[in-house]
Amino acid sequence: MGIRADHFEEFVVVPTLNHLADATGNNRINSPAAIQLIMGTFAHESHLCEYLRQHPTGPARGGGQMESVTFNSWWKNYLKPRR
């Protein structure tokens, strides 16, 4: 059993997207479409955080099942330059 979808959306996804929207000045970041995209990704990839490691032996981690290569690329090319 994963996290309740309504709680995940209300207490994790929406506050995170609101923070990103405020930090970047981009109000499209917290749009209904963005919320749906994240909710759908987490529901599909990890059954809404039921799995925090790719089953049975894959490299992906977390509720979104991101691989370390992808994380490192995002950090280096997108997040770090905007700090």
Side-chain angles (χ1 to χ4, degrees), residues 6-77:
D6 59 335
H7 282 210
F8 186 68
E9 181 177 333
E10 181 179 354
F11 300 117
V12 177
V13 175
V14 171
T16 300
L17 292 179
N18 286 341
H19 175 75
L20 290 171
D22 289 343
T24 64
N26 182 347
N27 291 326
R28 294 184 324 174
I29 288 176
N30 58 349
S31 69
I35 294 167
Q36 289 177 352
L37 176 62
I38 291 173
M39 291 297 293
T41 300
F42 275 68
H44 176 77
E45 294 294 336
S46 68
H47 295 233
L48 213 51
C49 301
E50 182 174 351
Y51 300 101
L52 296 178
R53 185 172 188 168
Q54 191 175 12
H55 183 74
T57 60
R61 300 289 188 265
Q65 296 292 294
M66 184 180 288
E67 296 183 9
S68 60
V69 171
T70 305
F71 173 83
N72 291 335
S73 175
W74 270 90
W75 180 257
K76 178 183 173 188
N77 299 308

